[in-house]
Amino acid sequence: MPVTPTSPPERDKPAAGGRTVRAGGDACPGALRLHTADDGALARVRLPAGLLTARQAVALALVAEELGDGNLDITSRGNVQLRGLADGCGGELADRLRGAGLLPSDRYDRVRNVAASPLCGLDGATEPARAGATDVQTWARALDALLCTPASDAPDPSEGLDLSGLSGRFLFGLDDGRGDIVALGPDVTLIASGEEQAVLCFAATGPGLRIAARDAPRAAALAAREFLAALAHSGTRAWRVRDLAPEHRPRVEALADRLTAAGIASVPLPRPRLPHGPPVGPGLVTGRDGRCALSVTAPLGRLTAAQWRLVATAADRDGTGELRVTPWRGIVVPGLPAGTARSRLTALADAGLVTSTTSPWHRAGACAGRPGCAKSLADVRADAAACLAGLPPAGLPVYWSGCERRCGHPGGTWVDVLATGDGGYRIAVRDGETETTTETATAGGLADAVAAARTSAD
């Protein structure tokens, strides 16, 4: 399959009911479809559930150094972006990703958007009916295989809806019961509910269906097919469940019928109990076996290849050889002895990674900004770094954006720091489309304004 460069699509427009009218085609980048930016081409490498081996992590670092700008950006889906790629390197990039096992399917590359609870099985919550009782990473691997299977080869070939029709923004969320992934608002959500059961719903809002845990990956793929069927019936363009008008959204009753036809039993849950828990933060995570996991965050979501390689080395030498990239722009390294974990965490802090929830860099992010993005009105990353150096410990999440698109901004309640194009920023506390506590500040007063917004509304 050829590597295809893309340009930014026409801007989407908000509609009634929180929906978005999609004005152009889905130009979401991938490993084969590269996005053209001012600093070169951009590739997005999908990591379902954020899972990769230390060997694969080293391969990504080499690609970033030899083909890109030497940095790796972690996205809000737990994927990795490579920037500054030279013209004409797409074929070599694809070959190297295939060789590392990071591009298992050309056709289904962009639909492999799967987020899963990164601390599953690592923090001692392993008793039945408690968070962590089900290994959602195992679900993720099985679901990824199903996403890469043509409809004609799927267990339910009669469905006739190939999952390559999903947009690059459609998200599967696999929550182990703690509520961290539910909070992301996935399009198809699976929640482990103990006793070998799971809850399946659209958009993490209910109603839902109770199913057997062993059927969870296949049921999630069938739910995506039900979305595609509803989308075709609506006659509209939509990338995600929430883009559809309420009357056109997929119904759990129709999904239940689809599951029954595939031999999967389900029980309706008109008002399922959906947990909402905090995301994983930086620091040490102690497991019941006496071993620890390291949790670190990339400053403003970006790591140098050298920093990335240090994390991979910790996984390879002292851990299980596995890394879990998180939707909160961090990395979890499982399986280290307690003493070794503490010294490794100190070394990673010395290398510039965020290792404590008390750091002002915790829950802070920024878009690419200038000079990489032509639409940006400021070098937001430089301004954010200068501002964070003088901030108190973290409060609300804060995100710097170079333009109104606010690419990569967090969900929930957060402090929006938006460049105004005159050297200043507009600071507001946002909750969805609602804004409060709005003021403007120049670079000199930015730290005080951000600190006030971040702490007073927390």
Side-chain angles (χ1 to χ4, degrees):
M1 180 177 290
V3 178
T4 307
T6 69
S7 298
E10 183 182 346
R11 187 178 174 188
D12 306 316
K13 300 176 181 179
R19 295 183 294 116
T20 300
V21 176
R22 300 301 181 185
D26 177 15
C28 195
L32 297 172
R33 180 180 291 185
L34 308 187
H35 169 76
T36 302
D38 268 18
D39 58 349
L42 177 153
R44 183 172 298 162
V45 182
R46 261 69 177 187
L47 303 174
L51 298 174
L52 74 166
T53 65
R55 180 185 65 84
Q56 290 173 323
V58 170
L60 278 177
L62 283 172
V63 168
E65 288 177 323
E66 296 174 6
L67 301 183
D69 64 4
N71 298 304
L72 300 99
D73 290 352
I74 300 178
T75 76
S76 59
R77 300 285 184 82
N79 297 316
V80 168
Q81 288 187 167
L82 306 172
R83 299 188 67 97
L85 298 168
D87 291 342
C89 78
E92 181 180 355
L93 170 66
D95 288 342
R96 292 175 69 163
L97 293 177
R98 288 190 196 98
L102 293 169
L103 183 55
S105 169
D106 288 6
R107 181 176 181 179
Y108 298 95
D109 168 45
R110 296 191 311 135
V111 306
R112 301 170 63 235
N113 296 303
V114 182
S117 299
L119 291 186
C120 180
L122 301 182
D123 57 355
T126 55
E127 296 86 357
R130 286 189 57 188
T134 298
D135 183 0
V136 294
Q137 274 74 31
T138 298
W139 282 357
R141 291 184 176 94
L143 176 57
D144 187 33
L146 290 170
L147 293 178
C148 295
T149 301
S152 59
D153 297 334
D156 52 302
S158 62
E159 299 300 325
L161 293 170
D162 194 272
L163 294 179
S164 62
L166 295 173
S167 85
R169 304 193 184 193
F170 191 91
L171 178 63
F172 295 87
L174 313 182
D175 196 301
D176 71 354
R178 72 186 70 226
D180 53 350
I181 299 301
V182 168
L184 300 178
D187 296 283
V188 171
T189 307
L190 282 171
I191 308 163
S193 59
E195 300 178 359
E196 299 300 321
Q197 294 184 325
V199 174
L200 172 67
C201 60
F202 290 109
T205 58
L209 299 170
R210 186 177 299 281
I211 59 174
R214 65 177 178 274
D215 295 324
R218 191 172 167 216
L222 287 165
R225 286 190 166 91
E226 185 58 36
F227 164 76
L228 289 175
L231 180 61
H233 183 73
S234 74
T236 61
R237 174 180 291 162
W239 296 341
R240 306 194 62 188
V241 170
R242 68 189 184 197
D243 293 343
L244 288 170
E247 64 271 20
H248 293 312
R249 289 174 186 169
R251 299 180 301 109
V252 292
E253 296 85 0
L255 175 57
D257 291 341
R258 189 179 290 270
L259 295 180
T260 299
I264 298 175
S266 64
V267 177
L269 297 173
R271 293 185 179 180
R273 184 171 176 266
L274 301 179
H276 284 273
V280 55
L284 288 182
V285 180
T286 303
R288 297 185 65 193
D289 59 0
R291 290 189 169 262
C292 293
L294 296 179
S295 177
V296 297
T297 304
L300 299 180
R302 177 169 293 175
L303 295 170
T304 65
Q307 290 172 323
W308 179 268
R309 195 175 279 111
L310 281 176
V311 180
T313 299
D316 186 42
R317 293 182 181 176
D318 305 309
T320 62
E322 175 188 88
L323 295 83
R324 302 180 182 182
V325 181
T326 80
W328 303 280
R329 295 182 168 86
I331 307 174
V332 173
V333 180
L336 284 76
T340 303
R342 282 188 283 271
S343 61
R344 282 288 189 185
L345 194 68
T346 299
L348 293 173
D350 292 341
L353 280 76
V354 183
T355 61
S356 170
T357 57
T358 63
S359 168
W361 293 77
H362 175 47
R363 300 203 290 180
C367 70
R370 288 181 180 171
C373 178
K375 294 184 179 294
S376 180
L377 301 176
D379 185 348
V380 293
R381 300 184 69 84
D383 291 342
C387 179
L388 287 166
L391 288 187
L396 281 176
V398 57
Y399 198 82
W400 278 259
S401 299
C403 74
E404 292 277 359
R405 294 184 304 166
R406 297 178 172 87
C407 295
H409 72 76
T413 303
W414 50 286
V415 177
D416 177 38
V417 186
L418 179 67
T420 56
D422 55 2
Y425 285 86
R426 180 173 175 272
I427 300 98
V429 176
R430 292 178 66 93
D431 185 356
E433 297 298 320
T434 304
E435 286 189 357
T436 57
T437 320
T438 302
E439 65 175 289
T440 57
T442 60
L446 187 59
D448 289 341
V450 170
R454 203 178 187 192
T455 56
S456 65
D458 191 7

